[in-house]
Amino acid sequence: MRSTSLFWALAVIGGSLLLFAAVEIVLMVVGPVEPTWLILAFPLMGLTYGATGIEAWRRRPSNRIGLLLVLGAWCWLLAGLANVEDEVLIVVGQLAATVGIAVIVHLVLAFPPGRLPDRASRWISISAYVTTTVFEVPLWLFNPSSPAMIRDHPDLDRLAHWFQRSLGAVIFVAFVVVVVRRLMAAPPPARRVLAPLLGYGVFTAVMVPVSANVLPVLVGIDPLTLATIQLAVLMVVPLAFTLGLLRGGFAQTGELVELGASLGADLDRPELAAALSATLGDPSVEVGFWLPGRSRYVDAAGRPLDLAVGRERRRVDIDVGGRPVGVIGYDATLLADADLVRTAGRVVAIAIDRQRLDVELRASYEALRTSRARIVEAGDAERRRIARDLHDGLQGRLVLLAIRAQRLVDRVGPGDARDQAQEVRFGMDAAIEELRALVHGVMPALLIERGLEAATAELVDRMPIPTELAARVRPLPASVESTAYLVVAESLANGVKHSRADHMWVRLDVIGSELCVEIRDDGVGGAATNGGSGLRGITDRVDALGGRVDVDSPAGRGTVVRVEVPCGS
Amino acid sequence: MRVVIGEDEALMRLGLTLVLEQGGIEVAAVAGDAPTLIAEAAAHRPDLVITDIRMPPDNSDDGLRAALAIRVAQPEVAVLVLSQFVQRQYALELMSDGAAGVGYLLKQRIADIDGFLHDLKIVQTGGTILDREVAGALVERARRTDDVVEALTPRQRDVLVLMAEGNSNAAIAQRLEIAEKTVVQHTSLIYDRLGIAESDAHHRRVLAVVRFLAR
């Protein structure tokens, strides 16, 4: 529950308790009730349960002990109505008092986690509630002194009493057995704290009904004295249990186990900090995560951590295998036992460390990706350089040689020498032509000079199969353009070689921050991505630039090669 | 004839100079980048400007754009551009203003000294010359996409290519080793089929043919 809505809910509960108490007091004053201090007894008890319950609820929102105490508060406030002069209200009041005992049974069984941990506890608790409500009713039906009598039937009345008492006894025995077993199973430090508390709870739950039924017969005690003793005993319960809950001096093993289980899910830092805070029951828990690269702690939001200071603030360092991994700052008034925090820390240590691994993995993946992209770009720059050097340097030299050969042909008279010179000249032409083709294969001039769209248009033009181009692109980074061009060239070449298509289509689009290239043909299909080494090389290249290659080639229905490459802004 | 050359690569410059020397053509200036080329053309007012398409500073198509600028500023100057790989688009851009005296050749053609000098003459006197590579590519593409061209006989397509190159009827006859009269027959039929007006002026013919093939 968020703290503001919790605050208002608790304020409403507190307010209504106070209101009811006030009304009750007025009713009792009007009563009248003897002796006068009794007027205040039940309201006081109700408010004690209420105040401690609200405080426990506020401080431990995820723990139901607070709720139980508030329930108890209502029971005791209602129980006070037994002193009012109204037959119905008297019945209500006496009923409420017995339910109050059942609440204490529930409280003891659910302490400290606030939940009934096993089936036995649940059965006992349910039985206690049922016995004090449903099975209480018959006691009012056949007794003449009861305002709700339907028939005077002493036998049924005795039966009802016997039944209820027997059931109550069975429940109590089971109750004591379960509590004793739990205490035996608890680790010694926890047992030391739990035993007195639970013991007192059991004593109260057993003593009040037993004393009401047995003592007057055995000892002949004055009813007022009995009531006083009972009220005093009952009053201590909420104070003791709330104090025990808030001091938290015992291991909340159940909650820690839950924390461990929840860490199986992939929690991010804020979720982790919240889970820890909920488990420890301290909303002011701060978790710091160690950043090895920067040698300091950051909080759940990734900002540098500033652990709160204060008289009651303590910290526990968490490490894994000797390496610092995290730190927990907590409120020592809520968590008196540093061992508990340390244990919780150990539980989350692995999860925190995994966070760190996650971040490191992501960073190294990013570094890998950028390095691959750089390799592709470096390769392109190299190719460009080779193309230019070959073009500018070597081709120029060859052309010059061809010219010299031609001049030789022109200068020399007809004869063998001239024929040979002519041969040289033709040879030069062939060499120049081969060089031109080679340069074009390495990096087409048009791609460098005019960009992707122009180079693709030229490529498409020279296809032996009719090919259409639809292009809507702006100037893009060089490596993106070269990669796209290679994709088109390779796919078209594959199409011509293998697809037996009648028609091919090429589409270039810039969508958002990605270049989309699509090459389609209406051929026989059945192409595979890992088929030719050409397409695989391109897949690697596209992948290195952070793009995707998709080949869809159902047999008999043509081939579609789709490539998307991010192109920056 | 006086020419201004635009070429940044030393060996090509040397080759061009040798060829022009052999043809008795005067080289008025040599420019190493596009802005200098425009300046030298303005300063020397040559008959012809020969330039590489790829020139500094950008090393993309600076030379081509400089040539087009010169044609606008000095319409009387003929222009011949050289390129390592002939692209259809460059040819179309060069011929886009429809004026005469323009040529587009592969660099290696200059080694064919006689042929090159002959082409220079044609361009300088207002003709139009297209490298046979690009002419061939234009016709081939048209053959695939245009029924009219598809319907021509192979021989007629050869004539069409030679027309697109900027050859005169006589030159076509010589290349194909047929009579000039036969050539005229072919060209008439081609004019008819392609819907081009008959014209003797070479550059208009080339223009018309290329325009038809490039649509």
Side-chain angles (χ1 to χ4, degrees):
Chain A
M1 256 209 242
R2 292 208 339 261
S3 45
T4 35
S5 50
L6 177 65
F7 171 76
W8 285 112
L10 294 179
V12 166
I13 291 174
S16 51
L17 284 172
L18 275 173
L19 194 63
F20 191 85
V23 167
E24 193 174 64
I25 291 175
V26 166
L27 284 176
M28 289 202 283
V29 164
V30 163
V33 171
E34 286 289 323
T36 19
W37 67 262
L38 201 59
I39 296 175
L40 295 175
F42 281 98
L44 192 63
M45 186 133 84
L47 290 178
T48 307
Y49 272 73
T52 50
I54 287 173
E55 182 62 9
W57 197 338
R58 189 179 70 82
R59 294 273 285 271
R60 292 278 185 280
S62 57
N63 195 319
R64 292 224 198 100
I65 297 287
L67 172 66
L68 278 177
L69 286 171
V70 167
L71 194 62
W74 278 109
C75 286
W76 297 120
L77 277 181
L78 286 170
L81 290 175
N83 297 315
V84 170
E85 266 194 4
D86 183 287
E87 294 181 336
V88 175
L89 289 181
I90 290 174
V91 172
V92 168
Q94 295 192 328
L95 206 58
T98 52
V99 175
I101 302 295
V103 169
I104 292 181
V105 168
H106 188 169
L107 188 66
V108 169
L109 287 174
F111 192 83
R115 278 181 347 273
L116 295 166
D118 51 44
R119 209 187 305 178
S121 312
R122 279 197 283 275
W123 272 111
I124 293 173
S125 212
I126 292 173
S127 313
Y129 281 118
V130 166
T131 310
T132 54
T133 50
V134 174
F135 294 146
E136 191 81 1
V137 170
L139 298 180
W140 299 103
L141 295 181
F142 308 114
N143 194 322
S145 64
S146 152
M149 177 183 77
I150 49 172
R151 203 147 63 103
D152 183 3
H153 200 306
D155 287 329
L156 274 182
D157 188 52
R158 257 199 304 280
L159 185 64
H161 271 89
W162 175 88
F163 179 69
Q164 208 238 14
R165 290 215 184 95
S166 314
L167 195 56
V170 168
I171 291 172
F172 276 125
V173 168
F175 175 49
V176 172
V177 166
V178 166
V179 173
V180 168
R181 282 241 295 267
R182 201 185 290 175
L183 281 176
M184 302 304 280
R191 202 185 308 158
R192 271 199 292 277
V193 183
L194 276 176
L197 217 52
L198 296 188
Y200 185 80
V202 169
F203 166 70
T204 308
V206 172
M207 175 260 182
V208 171
V210 163
S211 64
N213 294 318
V214 167
L215 276 185
V217 173
L218 281 182
V219 178
I221 191 168
D222 165 37
L224 202 55
T225 322
L226 181 62
T228 315
I229 297 174
Q230 284 175 330
L231 286 171
V233 167
L234 283 168
M235 192 83 100
V236 176
V237 167
L239 296 165
F241 274 72
T242 303
L243 209 63
L245 179 71
L246 296 184
R247 289 217 60 218
F250 34 72
Q252 292 160 274
T253 346
E255 279 167 328
L256 278 181
V257 167
E258 266 194 58
L259 176 67
S262 74
L263 293 177
D266 198 8
L267 296 178
D268 59 18
R269 281 181 182 157
E271 287 167 343
L272 221 136
L276 197 61
S277 176
T279 301
L280 291 173
D282 175 0
S284 73
V285 154
E286 292 172 305
V287 183
F289 301 84
W290 179 251
L291 271 192
R294 309 285 199 85
S295 291
R296 62 151 188 262
Y297 292 103
V298 293
D299 64 11
R303 292 186 297 261
L305 180 72
D306 240 329
L307 275 182
V309 289
R311 232 156 45 95
E312 294 306 324
R313 298 299 300 184
R314 304 265 192 279
R315 65 180 272 167
V316 157
D317 289 282
I318 311 170
D319 54 52
V320 168
R323 277 181 298 109
V325 155
V327 67
I328 301 178
Y330 65 98
D331 182 347
T333 55
L334 294 181
L335 296 167
D337 187 357
D339 274 331
L340 168 67
V341 183
R342 231 167 271 131
T343 309
R346 275 195 286 276
V347 172
V348 300
I350 307 289
I352 293 178
D353 207 29
R354 189 176 70 195
Q355 281 280 320
R356 177 189 61 84
L357 283 174
D358 212 15
V359 168
E360 278 180 13
L361 187 68
R362 227 176 293 234
S364 74
Y365 174 73
E366 200 47 44
L368 182 67
R369 209 183 56 74
T370 37
S371 110
R372 285 176 79 201
R374 270 204 305 275
I375 289 174
V376 168
E377 280 157 24
D380 277 352
E382 193 63 19
R383 251 187 230 101
R384 227 167 271 259
R385 192 186 63 77
I386 290 174
R388 195 165 48 239
D389 285 352
L390 278 177
H391 163 239
D392 295 348
L394 192 53
Q395 199 200 43
R397 196 173 286 281
L398 291 178
V399 170
L400 187 55
L401 277 172
I403 292 172
R404 290 199 195 280
Q406 183 63 51
R407 278 159 66 86
L408 207 54
V409 166
D410 294 342
R411 203 163 297 169
V412 171
D416 191 40
R418 179 151 115 168
D419 292 342
Q420 299 225 0
Q422 194 74 58
E423 287 296 318
V424 171
R425 168 68 219 289
F426 290 152
M428 295 308 312
D429 274 355
I432 291 171
E433 196 50 46
E434 278 183 27
L435 181 63
R436 225 159 51 75
L438 178 70
V439 170
H440 181 68
V442 165
M443 178 72 66
L446 198 56
L447 184 60
I448 302 175
E449 288 168 19
R450 281 290 178 84
L452 178 62
E453 186 172 341
T456 311
E458 189 67 27
L459 183 62
V460 157
D461 258 2
R462 284 166 193 267
M463 281 289 126
I465 305 175
T467 309
E468 268 170 50
L469 170 66
R472 228 182 18 204
V473 291
R474 51 178 163 80
L476 299 169
S479 49
V480 172
E481 290 207 346
S482 329
T483 303
Y485 182 83
L486 285 175
V487 168
V488 175
E490 181 73 24
S491 305
L492 288 177
N494 286 342
V496 167
K497 244 190 315 205
H498 306 298
S499 74
R500 296 206 281 264
D502 291 321
H503 211 111
M504 297 195 285
W505 294 264
V506 176
R507 209 185 150 72
L508 301 172
D509 259 316
V510 174
I511 301 179
S513 65
E514 284 194 334
L515 170 67
C516 299
V517 178
E518 190 181 281
I519 304 107
R520 262 195 306 133
D521 70 55
D522 60 1
V524 300
T529 355
N530 49 4
S533 64
L535 206 48
R536 190 168 38 238
I538 289 175
T539 314
D540 277 346
R541 208 178 215 269
V542 170
D543 196 45
L545 292 179
R548 286 174 299 288
V549 174
D550 191 36
V551 175
D552 190 18
S553 187
R557 298 230 300 272
T559 304
V560 178
V561 174
R562 208 180 335 254
V563 167
E564 282 154 11
V565 184
C567 51
S569 55
Chain B
M1 203 195 319
R2 284 167 62 247
V3 306
V4 163
I5 299 176
E7 174 58 64
D8 67 318
E9 215 275 312
L11 294 172
M12 275 310 296
R13 264 206 304 269
L14 185 52
L16 263 176
T17 318
L18 280 177
V19 170
L20 294 171
E21 221 175 60
Q22 184 150 325
I25 297 171
E26 178 196 336
V27 175
V30 175
D33 60 65
T36 312
L37 180 65
I38 297 175
E40 298 281 26
H44 294 275
R45 306 189 156 283
D47 302 302
L48 174 67
V49 166
I50 304 176
T51 175
D52 192 344
I53 285 191
R54 192 195 285 185
M55 285 261 273
D58 291 335
N59 283 308
S60 63
D61 59 355
D62 307 49
L64 175 62
R65 284 185 276 119
L68 290 170
I70 292 171
R71 279 178 74 67
V72 168
Q74 300 165 258
E76 71 283 4
V77 176
V79 158
L80 177 76
V81 297
L82 299 171
S83 171
Q84 69 160 353
F85 192 69
V86 178
Q87 313 286 359
R88 187 170 55 96
Q89 287 136 348
Y90 291 163
L92 294 173
E93 266 171 57
L94 256 182
M95 301 172 73
S96 57
D97 61 3
V102 76
Y104 183 11
L105 290 175
L106 281 180
K107 280 192 191 178
Q108 68 217 52
R109 301 283 176 244
I110 72 178
D112 177 13
I113 300 181
D114 286 338
F116 182 64
L117 292 171
H118 176 73
D119 288 338
L120 285 184
K121 259 300 156 42
I122 293 180
V123 171
Q124 194 242 332
T125 54
T128 307
I129 290 287
L130 265 190
D131 193 287
R132 61 173 173 269
E133 270 263 338
V134 76
L138 276 173
V139 171
E140 181 56 30
R141 180 175 166 275
R143 184 181 69 78
R144 278 187 279 118
T145 60
D146 193 312
D147 295 334
V148 171
V149 177
E150 169 83 45
L152 296 174
T153 70
R155 175 62 97 195
Q156 285 161 346
R157 274 197 289 276
D158 287 342
V159 170
L160 184 58
V161 171
L162 291 166
M163 284 165 72
E165 282 180 39
N167 292 291
S168 65
N169 291 350
I172 296 177
Q174 199 180 40
R175 281 279 285 279
L176 296 179
E177 291 171 350
I178 55 179
E180 199 170 326
K181 238 182 5 181
T182 325
V183 173
V184 172
Q185 257 180 338
H186 287 310
T187 58
S188 299
L189 184 135
I190 288 171
Y191 287 148
D192 200 36
R193 292 275 182 82
L194 269 52
I196 304 175
E198 274 212 36
S199 161
D200 244 354
H202 292 158
H203 78 270
R204 280 217 281 280
R205 179 157 92 175
V206 175
L207 213 58
V209 167
V210 169
R211 284 238 177 89
F212 177 88
L213 293 175
R215 72 196 157 94

